[in-house]
């Protein structure tokens, strides 16, 4: 046995995989062409069936090529089915020690002309509903591209997933807002030790990726690395259940900026629907130019997420909307306006911004969203530590909380530099600043007209604020 063969076999055995049971297959061995013309849906379904039957223990290799996928059947809504029933491309259930590996240039692209939304079950024509509408017999769904269900130790890498939503035939709305029907790039459900890397999922009619795990004794150990989720209609990422998600060097950009959109339209939506959400770590990620918020966390039992060296750019909506406990932002750039923060009863629960940069910076000549850099009312203990805030055209803050709170319960500013470059009408304020404890913080009003016009802080009365010393104001 050659040395490298010995080491490969040893690795498999050490991983709990018997070498003789480990199967490596290419998608072409299941009949796929990858010529950009032939619909290869059947080949992918065969591949999924093959690896499901053997409980994983292998690798599916996808060579360079454009693999047309997607299949819909017109059922007329019979037998409890949707009017147009879609098929998942790779639906994996109960697999372990399995990888999907794409070569450079491997693309799965949905066939054009698929139906999405509400359609008449008898005629197949678009159905325009009034208000909230849910009737499965009227639904046209497309399905999931890669569905990972109840599985462990799964890797997906090196793939472009093109949802091709711009070519779809749209029906009426379905659900509470927009078209809330399945069409995902990657869907992870009740699985652990999953690694998604170097994947580009774009133009899906719902989400680029969704993580939906119920609470379990073990951490999920799910990682998303070096991937992009862009131009999807509802979300770049929906995290609706799970514990322990690590995301690094990823982009969640341009949600809702394709042919159509559905709310929330966020870059990332952290919303505990399927189960509690906690312990998320995002590093070196982008959340830019989304129809909705760059990041939103406002629903369900969600908590304890960290964002480090990330960029949030709210062009048409808030850059950060957080109303859940234990969210911390370190060394992040926040362009546009942030809103809320958590109303924390303890310091551990508080929303914290540490070494962050805030600015109303234009995106491709488009002014960012909002009237203030930071807008919050009545949220205890929201903290800004060693941060820089630069308001070029907008006002600085709307911060207001009860004057009777303890100093540690007020908004906290420590070691910050706050710069206002704009001037406003005479006696108009640059910031509402009520209920703040601040120290070692500098306020710079750089517009020569600002002092003349009286464009300072509107702090109402001294009882609202706590000056902890070391602060100064500079008029230029």
């Amino acid at each position: 046995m050659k040395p490298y063969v010995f080491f490969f076999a040893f690795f498999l055995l050490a991983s709990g995989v018997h070498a003789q049971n480990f199967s490596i297959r290419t998608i072409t061995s299941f009949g796929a062409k990858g010529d950009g013309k032939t619909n290869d849906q059947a080949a992918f379904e065969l591949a999924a069936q093959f690896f499901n039957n053997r409980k994983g223990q292998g690798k599916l290799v996808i060579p360079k090529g454009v693999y047309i996928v997607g299949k819909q059947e017109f059922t007329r809504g019979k037998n409890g089915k949707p009017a147009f029933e879609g098929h998942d491309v790779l639906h994996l259930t109960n697999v372990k020690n399995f990888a999907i590996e794409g070569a450079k240039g491997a693309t799965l692209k949905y066939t054009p002309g698929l139906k999405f939304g509400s359609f008449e079950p008898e005629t197949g024509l678009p159905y325009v509903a009034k208000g909230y509408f849910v009737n499965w017999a009227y639904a046209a769904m497309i399905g999931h591209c890669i569905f990972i269900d109840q599985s462990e130790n799964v890797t997906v890498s090196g793939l472009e997933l093109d949802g091709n939503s711009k070519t779809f035939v749209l029906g009426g709305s379905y659900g509470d807002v927009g078209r809330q029907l399945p069409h995902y790039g990657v869907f992870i459900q009740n699985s652990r030790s999953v690694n998604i890397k170097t994947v580009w999922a774009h133009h899906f009619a719902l989400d680029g990726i969704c993580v939906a795990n119920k609470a379990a004794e073990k951490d999920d150990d799910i990682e998303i690395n070096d991937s992009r989720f862009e131009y999807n209609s509802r979300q770049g990422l929906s995290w609706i259940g799970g514990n322990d998600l690590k995301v690094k060097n990823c982009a969640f950009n341009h949600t809702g900026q394709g042919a159509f959109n559905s709310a929330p339209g966020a870059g990332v939506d952290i919303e505990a629907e399927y189960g509690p959400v906690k312990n998320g770590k995002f590093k070196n990620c982008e959340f830019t130019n989304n129809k909705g918020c760059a990041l939103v966390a406002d629903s369900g039992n969600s908590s304890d997420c960290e964002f480090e060296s990330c960029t949030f750019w709210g062009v048409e909506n808030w850059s950060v909307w957080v109303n859940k406990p234990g969210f911390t932002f370190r060394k992040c750039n926040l362009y546009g306006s942030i809103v809320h923060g958590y109303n924390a009863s303890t310091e551990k629960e508080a929303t914290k911004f540490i070494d962050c940069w805030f600015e109303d910076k234009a995106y491709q000549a488009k002014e960012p969203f909002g009237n203030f850099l930071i807008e919050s009312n009545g949220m205890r203990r929201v903290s800004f530590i060693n941060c820089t805030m630069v308001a070029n055209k907008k006002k600085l803050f709307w911060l207001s909380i009860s004057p009777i709170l303890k100093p540690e319960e007020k908004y906290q500013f420590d070691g910050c530099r706050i710069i206002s470059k704009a001037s406003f009408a005479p006696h108009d304020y640059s910031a509402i600043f009520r209920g703040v404890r601040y120290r070692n913080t500098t306020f710079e009003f750089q517009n020569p007209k600002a002092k003349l016009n009286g464009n300072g802080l509107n702090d109402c009365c001294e009882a609202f604020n706590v000056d902890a010393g070391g602060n100064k104001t500079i008029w230029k």
Side-chain angles (χ1 to χ4, degrees), residues 426-448:
H427 310 298
D428 196 1
Y429 56 87
S430 292
I432 295 290
F433 204 67
R434 302 171 184 164
V436 178
R437 180 181 184 269
Y438 58 109
R439 66 179 179 180
N440 299 325
T441 292
T442 300
F443 300 87
E444 297 182 23
F445 298 91
Q446 295 188 355
N447 192 298

Side-chain angles (χ1 to χ4, degrees), residues 102-147:
K104 186 177 181 180
T107 301
L108 279 61
K109 183 176 182 179
Y110 274 79
T111 188
L114 298 174
K115 310 291 195 301
F116 189 70
S118 294
F119 288 80
E120 291 274 3
E122 291 300 324
T123 65
L125 296 174
Y127 175 76
V128 180
K130 294 182 179 179
Y132 179 81
F133 178 76
V134 173
N135 186 329
W136 195 233
Y138 283 68
M141 49 84 72
I142 298 170
H144 311 75
C145 189
I146 299 176
F147 195 134

